[in-house]
Amino acid sequence: MSSLPPSSHPTSPLCDWAASTDLPTRHGMFQMHVFRRHEPIEGESSQEHVAMVFGDVAGRGNLPVRVHSECMTSEVFGSLKCDCRDQLDLAMKQVAAQGAGIILYLRQEGRGIGLVNKIRAYQLQSQGHDTVDANRLLGLPDDARTYELVPEMLRHFDVPSILLMSNNPDKAQQLRELGVAVNGVVAEVGRTANEPARKRWIAVVANLLRWRLPVDQFGLLGPKTVTIRQGTAMKFGVVRHACLLGC
């Protein structure tokens, strides 16, 4: 794998490729690419965003791609309030199993509200408010994440179309509106739905944020993967899980 950016790519309007290296992981050898946003935006913990690339992705259509937002509390400190660490690990495992794919790791902590506001919201949750009400009490949106870097990052790798690894229908819609050819959605399910500390958040996310999962045929416990191509008729059930690749 080369650590140099393709010379054919001009400077992008929002971000530039900055560096890369081979990175051995428990799921195999990934190549870690760092992109730097030109201007900081509110809610981002850093202007540096990451693409974890597995295998030969250049020019490959319908590439499995996970767009994942940073979650320090779960991924670094093992918080049980969400399952972001589990889902990131599962996504890496699935990408490696497919032989090629990309995980875009965006530095937008707390569904885009930033770490300070996320911890303030956690404190309100400890007083009995749910995750959505806590955001609203702070005058913050339910979900402030944006995905405008995604088309530029995918363009850097010459990826013409993707299969999005997510159970969040709004994420797929936002990406399509940004010009990303999302030709299908890969719903993935981990094994953390029954963690007692997550059950209340599970119910809130299911009922208010409406992340979805094809529960009628595939159940809630896995891990399982199912590809839902655009235009395919399939009955969806409401997610009974905390985050389920919605993060």
Side-chain angles (χ1 to χ4, degrees):
M1 293 183 181
S2 171
S3 61
L4 297 176
S7 59
S8 60
H9 289 272
T11 299
S12 298
L14 297 177
C15 67
D16 289 328
W17 180 96
S20 70
T21 186
D22 290 346
L23 190 69
T25 77
R26 71 176 114 183
H27 302 300
M29 184 66 73
F30 281 75
Q31 189 174 54
M32 181 176 181
H33 294 257
V34 180
F35 293 77
R36 184 178 292 118
R37 185 191 280 273
H38 297 163
E39 300 292 336
I41 65 170
E42 187 176 359
E44 282 189 349
S45 62
S46 171
Q47 289 174 241
E48 296 172 337
H49 303 263
V50 172
M52 294 290 288
V53 178
F54 191 92
D56 184 5
V57 301
R60 180 165 174 170
N62 292 340
L63 184 73
V65 172
R66 162 78 177 144
V67 180
H68 185 94
S69 295
E70 179 181 33
C71 181
M72 180 185 289
T73 49
S74 173
E75 294 157 5
V76 177
F77 300 114
S79 167
L80 295 178
K81 291 180 71 66
C82 68
D83 63 353
C84 297
R85 181 174 66 174
D86 297 335
Q87 297 302 340
L88 178 60
D89 187 69
L90 177 60
M92 293 180 68
K93 179 180 179 180
Q94 294 289 353
V95 161
Q98 292 294 318
I102 299 176
I103 296 168
L104 300 180
Y105 189 87
L106 305 182
R107 309 296 296 280
Q108 42 187 1
E109 180 74 50
R111 299 199 302 271
I113 64 175
L115 184 59
V116 171
N117 283 326
K118 177 180 178 178
I119 298 307
R120 289 171 176 164
Y122 274 12
Q123 178 59 24
L124 288 173
Q125 291 173 41
S126 73
Q127 299 169 9
H129 300 285
D130 64 47
T131 181
V132 173
D133 284 342
N135 279 31
R136 294 173 181 177
L137 285 170
L138 292 170
L140 300 168
D142 299 344
D143 191 338
R145 291 173 295 179
T146 62
Y147 303 105
E148 66 273 6
L149 295 184
V150 173
E152 295 190 16
M153 296 170 80
L154 292 176
R155 193 176 304 119
H156 176 88
F157 299 107
D158 291 319
V159 174
S161 61
I162 70 171
L163 300 179
L164 181 67
M165 303 170 70
S166 179
N167 291 321
N168 182 349
D170 182 62
K171 183 184 294 184
Q173 181 60 31
Q174 286 193 54
L175 291 176
R176 289 186 177 111
E177 291 173 357
L178 289 167
V180 177
V182 181
N183 288 344
V185 178
V186 181
E188 295 192 33
V189 189
R191 297 181 181 273
T192 57
N194 294 319
E195 286 281 0
R198 296 173 175 156
K199 285 186 176 179
R200 185 178 182 195
W201 194 40
I202 289 169
V204 172
V205 169
N207 293 327
L208 296 181
L209 298 186
R210 310 302 292 177
W211 288 326
R212 299 184 302 172
L213 177 76
V215 297
D216 57 327
Q217 295 183 35
F218 300 98
L220 283 175
L221 297 180
K224 296 187 178 75
T225 302
V226 55
T227 301
I228 304 115
R229 297 192 180 277
Q230 191 172 4
T232 299
M234 181 174 287
K235 179 182 177 182
F236 277 87
V238 174
V239 170
R240 299 299 176 189
H241 189 9
C243 185
L244 288 176
L245 289 177
C247 293

